[in-house]
Amino acid sequence: MVMAIGSLIGGIFIALWGSEAAFVYNSLSFLLSGILILRLAFPRPDRSCPSPSTPQASYRDVLAFAAHTPIVRSILLMTALWPIGGGIINVLISVYAYQVFQAGEMGIGLFYGAIGVGFILGGLAADLK
C-alpha cells in the first residue's frame, strides 16, 4: 500500500509542483520523522543472563535455517534484488519522461502516478478469483 499510494501521491505532487519541490518536501518529511523518533522513549534492556529454559539460537543455527528454508531464501533474495530493480526503474522513469517522451517533470509525475495506479489495480485484480 505504501508503494501504491506513495507513488500515486508522489506522481501527482511532481506533476503539480515539480521535482525540486518534491525533493524539498521529501527531505522535510525525513527531518520530521527523525524528530519524532528522537522523542520516543525506549525501555532499557535487561542485561541479566537469560534463564536456562530460554533456547538461544546461534548465528550458525540461523544461517542453517535460512539455507534450508525456501521461503526464507526467497525473501532474502528479493530483499537483496529489490533495491537494484527499484533504482533502475527510478532512473528509467526520468530518462523516458525527459528524453523519449519530452514530457519533463509533468511526465515524471504521470509515470509515478501510473505506477501507483498500476499497483492498486494489480492488487485488486490479483485478489479476484
Side-chain angles (χ1 to χ4, degrees):
M1 290 305 293
V2 169
M3 287 293 295
I5 294 171
S7 293
L8 183 57
I9 292 171
I12 292 169
F13 194 98
I14 291 172
L16 293 175
W17 295 292
S19 59
E20 288 182 16
F23 278 110
V24 170
Y25 178 79
N26 192 33
S27 65
L28 291 175
S29 73
F30 279 106
L31 179 65
L32 177 63
S33 295
I35 291 169
L36 292 173
I37 289 171
L38 281 174
R39 297 184 68 206
L40 291 176
F42 293 99
R44 297 257 181 222
D46 183 15
R47 301 276 184 202
S48 63
C49 294
S51 67
S53 63
T54 306
Q56 297 293 314
S58 71
Y59 187 66
R60 286 185 180 156
D61 294 335
V62 173
L63 288 178
F65 173 77
H68 293 87
T69 309
I71 188 72
V72 174
R73 283 196 318 258
S74 298
I75 291 170
L76 291 174
L77 182 64
M78 287 196 53
T79 301
L81 295 179
W82 188 267
I84 296 169
I88 291 169
I89 289 171
N90 282 328
V91 169
L92 288 178
I93 285 173
S94 298
V95 170
Y96 287 145
Y98 277 104
Q99 294 180 2
V100 176
F101 296 105
Q102 287 84 34
E105 291 180 345
M106 178 67 80
I108 292 173
L110 291 174
F111 275 128
Y112 276 110
I115 289 171
V117 170
F119 277 138
I120 293 169
L121 293 178
L124 292 173
D127 194 35
L128 299 176
K129 295 181 179 162

